[in-house]
Structures are given as C-alpha cells and as structure tokens.
Amino acid sequence: MNQAVDTNEYQTHQPLLAGHTSRRWLFSAFATTFIVALPVFAVFYLALFPEENIWPHLIDTTLPRYLDNTIRLMLGVAFLTLFLGVSTAWAVTVCEFPGRRFFEWALLLPFAVPAYVIAYVYTDLLDYAGPVQIALRDWFGWTSARDYWFPQIRSLGGATVMIGLVLYPYVYLLSRAAFLEQSPSLFAVSRSLGHSALSTFFRVVLPIARPAIAVGLSLVLMETLNDFGTVDFFAVQTLTAGLFDTWMNLGNLGGAAQIATVMLSFVLILVTLERYSRRRQKQFSARDNRQPVHRFRLTPARKALCITVCAVPVVFGFVIPGLVLGYYAVEYFEQSWNTEFFSNALNSLLLSATAAMTTLVIGLTLAYSRRLHDTPGMRVLMRLSSLGYAMPGAVLAVGVIVPMASFDNWLDGLMEHWFGLDTGLLLSGTTFALVFAYTVRFLAVSAGSIESALQKVTPSMDMAARSLGQGPAGTLIHVHLPILRGTLLTAALVVFVDCMKELPATLILRPFNFDTLATYVYQFASDEMLSRSALPALIIVLAGIVPIILMSRSIGQSRSFN
C-alpha cells in the first residue's frame, strides 16, 4: 500500500518535475549523448567508405589469424576468471577459515595491476635469462634450453594467464555481491531436501547468481578484447594488435576501422548473449536477505583448501608483481626519479583528474535529466551514452581521430582560404582528444553509479524543494549533491584509476613527445628495461588500491553474518 501511495504521489507531481525549465536538461542530455556517441558512428562510416578498401586483402591474409587468436584468448581468459572469481567468492562468503576477512578485500588487489605490467614482471622472472630458469639450471646442472622443458611465457597461453590474473576480480566482485543477496532460507530448504553443500551450490546458488556472473564475465571479455600491451609484448596477433599494425605500420586508417567493426561485432555478440541468457529470469529480493547467515565450519583439510584457493590469485596476481616492482623501484630509484618521471606523472594526474571531473559533470547531467524525464527516449539516450565503455580503447581512438581530424582539416582550409592562416591541429593530436576519449570510454562508470544512487532518493524530496521555490538546478545543488557526495567521490576515483591505466587509446591519441605513466612504462618495458619502468608502474598500481578498498567495504557492509 505504501508503495502505491508513493507511486501516485510521483505521478501526480510529474508535471512539476518535467516543467518548462527542465527541458533545458533534456536538450543538454540529447546534445551530450550525440557528441559521446559520435566516435561509434565515425568508425562505422569510415569502415563502409574507406579511402582504400583492403578488406578483401585482410580476409585472405591476416584476419583469420587475428580472429582465431582473439577467440582462443577470450575463451581461455573466460575459463580462468570464472574458476578464480566464483570459487573465491563462494569461499569467503559462506566458509569460515583463517584469513577470511583478509581475503575478502585482498582478492580485489590484482584489479589494481594493469595486465601489461604483470606481463612485464613475469617475463622478467620466467624468461630464459630470468632468475627462475637461471636457478633451475644451476641446481640441476643444465647448460642450455635443450636440456629441459619450461613453459613459454611469451605465448597465447602466457597472455591468457596474465590477463586472467588481473581480470578475475570482475567476476569475484559481482559473484560475491550476488551470493550476499541470496536468502539463507533457500540454502536451508535445499539442505533439508537432502542435497549436499556442493549440490546446493550448483542447483540453487549458482543459477540464481548466474545473471551477475554473466555481467562480470562480459566485462572480463570486453577488457580482454581491449588489451594491447600484453598481446603486443607476447607477440600474440589479436584483433587489437592487428588494428595497431594496420593503422600505424601500414598507414591505412580505413582498414583499421574495418578491423574495429569486427571488434565491435564481438562486443555486440557478448552483450546480446549475456542478455539472452537471462531473458526469462526474474528475481526478487527475499524478506530474509538481511538475516545473518551461519558460515560453514570446515575440517582442517578443507580450511587449507580454501586458504590455498584464495591465496593463489592474490600471491601471483599482486604480491609477486608488487615485490618485484618494489625491488626495482628501490634499486634503480636514482635513475627513475628524474624530471622525465615527474613530467609524465604530472601528465597522467592532470589528464586523469580532468577526465574524472568531466565524466562526473556529464554523468550527473544525464542521470538527472532522466530523473526529470523518465521516458523511453531518455532511457535510449542513457544506453547510447554508455556505448563507449563497451568499445576497446583502440577502436575508440579510431572513432575519435576521424571526426576531429576532419574538423581540423575543414577549419584549416577555411581559415587558409579567407584569412591566409594555418590553424594546424586544434583538436586531433592534442590533449583534448585524449580527455575526450577517456570521457567517452568511462562515462558509463560515473553515469551508471549516479543514476543508481538517484533512483534511491524518494521523489517527495524533489517535490518539497520545488514547493519551496527551487528549480531543477537548485534542487540538484541543495538536495541531491549532498546526498550523492559519497557516490560522486567513488565514481571519480574509479574513473581516475581507469584513466591512469588506459594504454591503447593513449598510445594512439597522445600528442607528439607527450607521455603518461602508462605509455612511459610500455616504452621501457617493451625494450626489456623493466627496472626503468618499475617506479611509474608501481605508482599506477598504488593509485588503484584506494577505490578497491572502498568497493570492498561497501560490499561487506551490505550483509551481516554469524
């Protein structure tokens, strides 16, 4: 009954929310969405109308190899992240064992390590000239590589493990949240019907959590498709590597756009499969989902198994890379601590901070516009504005450079004709292009978080503010912003860290002689100089720990246990 009263109140006062003044918000949302979605349209246009059509050549030569490697990499990463993410989430959620509270947040730490950084670290450790193989040769008296077998780190399998170690937190995070939300009575009923804990997990718990796990897995696969640093360093020819090669080495932007459309097709298939898999599922919160849950009391052997399952991804995904980077950072501190490092760090901080603030402003505009005009059209605009997050960085770079270069050329020709002035590159090839790319790519993070938080604010608060003479802007400033303070801070931190780690788009769009910490690390590590890149890599990792701790705390506070 209370819900019906609230809904009627909202519908009665809907004209107050969607008045004449708020139409400015609707127009702002429409204009912003058009600009943000422009790179997607640009990619498809250039792919359909390239200056030189090399599509038949790509199909006959390199495209099958790119597709084969990409599919195999994505399948391998999917299997690894599912196993690590779901098993660790289940262990820390329902099992009691020593170190459980530590692993609840520590399992998120590999999320702070970029995949290309962990690839550089393990290549330095496990390569033929690395300390591990040197120690093995000394211990067993081997003299050459022909005397023994050792797994090849620079391979498709090596890239799969490296990427999986840092992306499994996507699945872990959403799986754990789904397990926390499930009603304890479901588990109790299943056990009373004679099912074991393992049978209950597969028959009851896992099917209910499947939508959340599917979302996490789709994010993992999109990030795998986006990866360039790891596959380039390991010489694995995926679609992303092929896009770079076609554009940078062959100088064919149209061919790069055509490869980009194949990558976008992968993304579309992933999103469609994820939604199709749960098309008939409807889930509702149970009344007892806040009741304490009694964790399993395990035998010593099972406790040891849980500790091992949780410790392996933390040790190999964060501890070992962190120790190696820390050692090199201290050992080569004087060589790394120079003006070049400060300049690149400042570039990263300014770009990431600017992009974080830009995404907050745009995300707030879009989310608040939907609150004022919750119509099907506005929901479509919200979906379009989130397309950038599904676009790999290299694809996004193609979409950004095309309209900006066209605008620069048009303006330069116009100014040259009328005033004899050479304007040069005003948008493309500048930091503006980088900030725009970051904003388009990570807008969904801030807009989604703000939209979700706004939905929890009762419409009666808007009514009260409007009845006191506040317009939509005044209501936002005086009512909603104080409520959203925590959400805005968390969203800004997440976007900031994502921008710090972003490599493919930065490599393509950065101005001449302009580097960030990510490109600085890539350049030195790709030249086998991990010691020089250790300090900036460590800074990137440390920057990612803060939002990870915040996310872990927010999830842990959602449910109590006994």
Side-chain angles (χ1 to χ4, degrees):
M1 178 63 68
N2 291 335
Q3 181 63 38
V5 172
D6 291 341
T7 303
N8 290 335
E9 176 188 0
Y10 182 78
Q11 291 174 347
T12 301
H13 292 85
Q14 183 67 19
L16 180 62
L17 283 174
H20 177 73
T21 307
S22 64
R23 292 175 186 170
R24 300 174 186 172
W25 290 87
L26 184 62
F27 175 77
S28 300
F30 178 81
T32 301
T33 302
F34 174 78
I35 295 174
V36 168
L38 188 60
V40 181
F41 303 139
V43 169
F44 282 107
Y45 176 81
L46 187 60
L48 292 173
F49 307 102
E51 294 183 2
E52 179 185 357
N53 185 19
I54 64 169
W55 184 248
H57 174 72
L58 290 174
I59 294 177
D60 293 336
T61 55
T62 58
L63 189 60
R65 183 168 66 253
Y66 294 154
L67 286 171
D68 179 62
N69 288 333
T70 300
I71 293 173
R72 290 165 61 194
L73 178 66
M74 294 173 72
L75 289 176
V77 171
F79 176 80
L80 182 59
T81 54
L82 276 178
F83 173 76
L84 293 177
V86 175
S87 61
T88 53
W90 176 249
V92 300
T93 303
V94 301
C95 299
E96 189 61 56
F97 58 92
R100 179 190 57 78
R101 290 185 178 275
F102 166 76
F103 285 120
E104 281 183 351
W105 62 269
L107 282 163
L108 290 171
L109 290 176
F111 201 40
V113 186
Y116 53 87
V117 170
I118 202 173
Y120 304 150
V121 169
Y122 279 106
T123 300
D124 186 73
L125 289 176
L126 302 178
D127 224 358
Y128 181 79
V132 173
Q133 293 201 50
I134 289 177
L136 290 175
R137 290 195 294 271
D138 291 340
W139 288 342
F140 295 101
W142 296 325
T143 58
S144 69
R146 293 189 299 270
D147 297 335
Y148 64 98
W149 177 87
F150 195 85
Q152 179 61 256
I153 183 67
R154 297 197 186 199
S155 62
L156 180 63
T160 300
V161 175
M162 297 299 103
I163 296 174
L165 278 175
V166 299
L167 293 185
Y168 82 86
Y170 275 116
V171 179
Y172 166 77
L173 191 68
L174 294 173
S175 299
R176 184 179 168 220
F179 295 153
L180 286 169
E181 287 297 319
Q182 291 187 19
S183 169
S185 62
L186 294 174
F187 197 89
V189 170
S190 177
R191 295 303 300 273
S192 68
L193 293 175
H195 290 286
S196 65
L198 188 62
S199 175
T200 300
F201 173 75
F202 284 106
R203 289 174 176 267
V204 178
V205 177
L206 198 58
I208 295 176
R210 190 178 71 179
I213 296 173
V215 172
L217 183 61
S218 64
L219 292 173
V220 166
L221 294 179
M222 284 189 283
E223 288 296 328
T224 303
L225 192 62
N226 177 58
D227 182 85
F228 171 73
T230 307
V231 297
D232 178 65
F233 191 61
F234 284 0
V236 178
Q237 294 183 317
T238 61
L239 287 169
T240 304
L243 188 153
F244 270 82
D245 183 63
T246 304
W247 189 355
M248 298 300 180
N249 296 332
L250 300 181
N252 194 304
L253 184 57
Q258 290 170 335
I259 295 178
T261 58
V262 178
M263 297 174 71
L264 287 177
S265 300
F266 267 82
V267 172
L268 181 61
I269 292 172
L270 290 174
V271 174
T272 303
L273 288 177
E274 183 269 322
R275 292 185 177 177
Y276 181 80
S277 67
R278 54 188 176 94
R279 67 193 185 283
R280 295 180 179 177
Q281 290 189 353
K282 291 185 179 181
Q283 298 186 20
F284 302 92
S285 297
R287 292 183 178 181
D288 62 343
N289 69 343
R290 294 287 175 177
Q291 293 180 0
V293 173
H294 296 276
R295 287 194 173 89
F296 293 123
R297 304 295 175 179
L298 306 176
T299 63
R302 292 184 177 181
K303 287 181 180 179
L305 179 62
C306 285
I307 294 173
T308 302
V309 168
C310 294
V312 166
V314 176
V315 170
F316 289 96
F318 182 80
V319 175
I320 292 177
L323 291 175
V324 172
L325 292 177
Y327 169 77
Y328 280 129
V330 173
E331 187 73 14
Y332 297 91
F333 182 78
E334 293 185 359
Q335 293 93 321
S336 302
W337 192 259
N338 50 37
T339 55
E340 189 176 14
F341 167 77
F342 283 112
S343 175
N344 296 331
L346 183 62
N347 291 339
S348 289
L349 291 174
L350 291 178
L351 284 174
S352 301
T354 303
M357 292 302 300
T358 305
T359 55
L360 280 187
V361 172
I362 296 177
L364 190 61
T365 301
L366 291 172
Y368 192 58
S369 297
R370 179 178 175 181
R371 183 176 178 85
L372 297 175
H373 300 269
D374 192 9
T375 62
M378 191 64 220
R379 288 192 285 272
V380 171
L381 290 181
M382 289 294 295
R383 286 184 179 274
L384 287 175
S385 67
S386 301
L387 286 176
Y389 194 69
M391 294 178 66
V395 177
L396 181 61
V398 175
V400 168
I401 202 69
V402 170
M404 287 192 175
S406 299
F407 175 80
D408 285 340
N409 292 332
W410 171 81
L411 183 62
D412 183 67
L414 186 66
M415 297 299 289
E416 179 71 27
H417 176 75
W418 289 102
F419 303 103
L421 298 176
D422 183 10
T423 57
L425 301 178
L426 297 179
L427 298 181
S428 58
T430 66
T431 56
F432 177 84
L434 270 178
V435 172
F436 179 69
Y438 290 164
T439 301
V440 173
R441 176 142 168 72
F442 301 115
L443 177 61
V445 176
S446 61
S449 301
I450 297 170
E451 182 183 11
S452 177
L454 277 175
Q455 288 175 351
K456 298 177 183 179
V457 180
T458 175
S460 61
M461 300 189 71
D462 296 73
M463 303 303 124
R466 298 299 297 273
S467 65
L468 293 174
Q470 296 289 344
T475 303
L476 175 64
I477 294 172
H478 297 292
V479 176
H480 294 297
L481 287 184
I483 297 175
L484 298 174
R485 187 180 305 162
T487 300
L488 294 175
L489 177 61
T490 303
L493 283 173
V494 173
V495 173
F496 178 86
V497 173
D498 283 338
C499 293
M500 290 276 289
K501 295 191 296 183
E502 175 61 33
L503 179 63
T506 310
L507 281 174
I508 295 176
L509 296 174
R510 59 182 174 149
F512 185 69
N513 285 335
F514 183 93
D515 279 307
T516 63
L517 289 177
T519 60
Y520 188 68
V521 170
Y522 168 77
Q523 289 176 355
F524 277 106
S526 59
D527 291 335
E528 310 290 341
M529 299 175 64
L530 180 63
S531 57
R532 290 291 303 276
S533 65
L535 182 60
L538 192 62
I539 297 299
I540 295 175
V541 172
L542 292 177
I545 294 178
V546 176
I548 283 173
I549 295 175
L550 292 176
M551 285 189 291
S552 179
R553 289 182 60 186
S554 65
I555 293 176
Q557 292 171 356
S558 65
R559 187 74 176 269
S560 60
F561 290 84
N562 289 336

